[in-house]
Amino acid sequence: PEVQPVATLEQLQEVLTSDDIDGKTIKLYDNLDNVTNLRISDKDIALDLNGKSMKTEHLQVNGSKIVIKDTSEDRNGKIETTDSYAVVQAENSDVTIESGKFISSYNRDGGSGYAPVISVRNSELTINGGYFENTNDVGSYNYLIKAPSYSRTEKTTITINGGTFNGTIQSKGYIACGIYAPWKDNILVKGGTFNITGGAGIVARAG
C-alpha cells in the first residue's frame, strides 16, 4: 500500500480528512503530544505507529476500516490517553490491531469513572498482537476491552489471536476486567495473555 508520511498533528488531521486517503498507510515519523479531536470517519486505512508515540484524548473511529500496527524494529510505538473514553473508541467499524502499545492512565482513584483501553460498539475487532494496559492510576470500571451497546439490534464481534493484556484496579468495591461484553456479542479468544489483578479475564453479563 502507498505510504503517507506524517510528522505533525496538522498533517495527520489533514490526511484523515482527505478524499484520496483510502487504501493508504499513514506512517508516523515523529511523536505527537496533546492530540485532540482526532477522528477517522468513513475511511479504509492503516496506521503505522513506526515506533513513535501519540498522546491523545482518544482516537475516534466511525464507520471505518482501520488496521493499526507498529513496523519499527523495537515495537515501542504507542497510543496513550488520560481520558475516560478509551485509547481507541470505535463505532460501526472494522478494527484490526496487529502490534503497538495501547495504554490508559485515566486517574479517577476512589471514584467512579470509565477507563477502557479499546471500546468497540456495533463493530468488529480483531487483535493479533500488541500490548494493552490500564495503569495503576485508573479508578473503577477499568476495562481493557469494552463492547458497549445502545440498542437490541447492535452486535459486536471480538476476536483475540494474540497480545498481552494487563489490567489492575485501585478503587475498593470494583474489579478489573479484560473483556467486558454486556450484550449479545461474539467473543472468540484463541490466543493472547491476560494478566488481570483484582478482577476477571472476561465479564459477560447484563447491566
Side-chain angles (χ1 to χ4, degrees):
E2 182 179 345
V3 173
Q4 175 68 55
V6 166
T8 67
L9 174 58
E10 290 75 16
Q11 289 177 340
L12 179 58
Q13 291 174 329
E14 182 179 353
V15 300
L16 288 179
T17 57
S18 172
D19 292 332
D20 64 349
I21 193 63
D22 279 0
K24 297 182 181 179
T25 296
I26 299 171
K27 191 171 185 177
L28 299 186
Y29 280 88
D30 203 355
N31 299 326
L32 302 180
D33 296 327
N34 301 317
V35 178
T36 59
N37 299 320
L38 190 59
R39 181 182 297 270
I40 300 172
S41 298
D42 303 314
K43 302 297 182 186
D44 182 356
I45 62 171
L47 174 62
D48 184 355
L49 300 176
N50 190 33
K52 307 304 179 183
S53 65
M54 183 163 60
K55 295 181 179 180
T56 176
E57 57 181 6
H58 61 273
L59 174 60
Q60 179 73 48
V61 181
N62 292 304
S64 297
K65 182 176 182 180
I66 183 172
V67 177
I68 304 176
K69 57 187 177 180
D70 178 15
T71 60
S72 68
E73 185 175 351
D74 57 12
R75 300 293 176 93
N76 280 329
K78 63 183 176 181
I79 306 176
E80 53 186 328
T81 187
T82 57
D83 188 81
S84 66
Y85 286 100
V87 178
V88 178
Q89 183 183 28
E91 297 182 358
N92 306 310
S93 295
D94 185 341
V95 178
T96 299
I97 297 177
E98 298 287 353
S99 51
K101 296 180 178 180
F102 305 82
I103 300 172
S104 171
S105 56
Y106 172 69
N107 194 337
R108 191 68 181 272
D109 187 18
S112 62
Y114 294 92
V117 176
I118 308 294
S119 177
V120 282
R121 173 187 162 211
N122 199 38
S123 298
E124 292 192 11
L125 171 67
T126 302
I127 296 179
N128 295 320
Y131 176 84
F132 307 82
E133 180 184 7
N134 265 322
T135 71
N136 287 327
D137 293 330
V138 300
S140 57
Y141 305 118
N142 56 332
Y143 320 113
L144 289 169
I145 302 172
K146 179 185 178 184
S149 179
Y150 300 153
S151 78
R152 293 181 179 274
T153 61
E154 294 182 345
K155 188 175 184 178
T156 292
T157 298
I158 298 172
T159 303
I160 309 295
N161 296 314
T164 299
F165 304 82
N166 291 339
T168 57
I169 191 76
Q170 296 295 307
S171 299
K172 294 182 180 180
Y174 297 92
I175 66 170
C177 178
I179 301 174
Y180 177 69
W183 188 230
K184 54 179 183 180
D185 307 297
N186 291 328
I187 311 296
L188 180 60
V189 179
K190 299 193 290 185
T193 301
F194 286 82
N195 304 306
I196 311 299
T197 301
I202 300 175
V203 175
R205 66 176 180 86

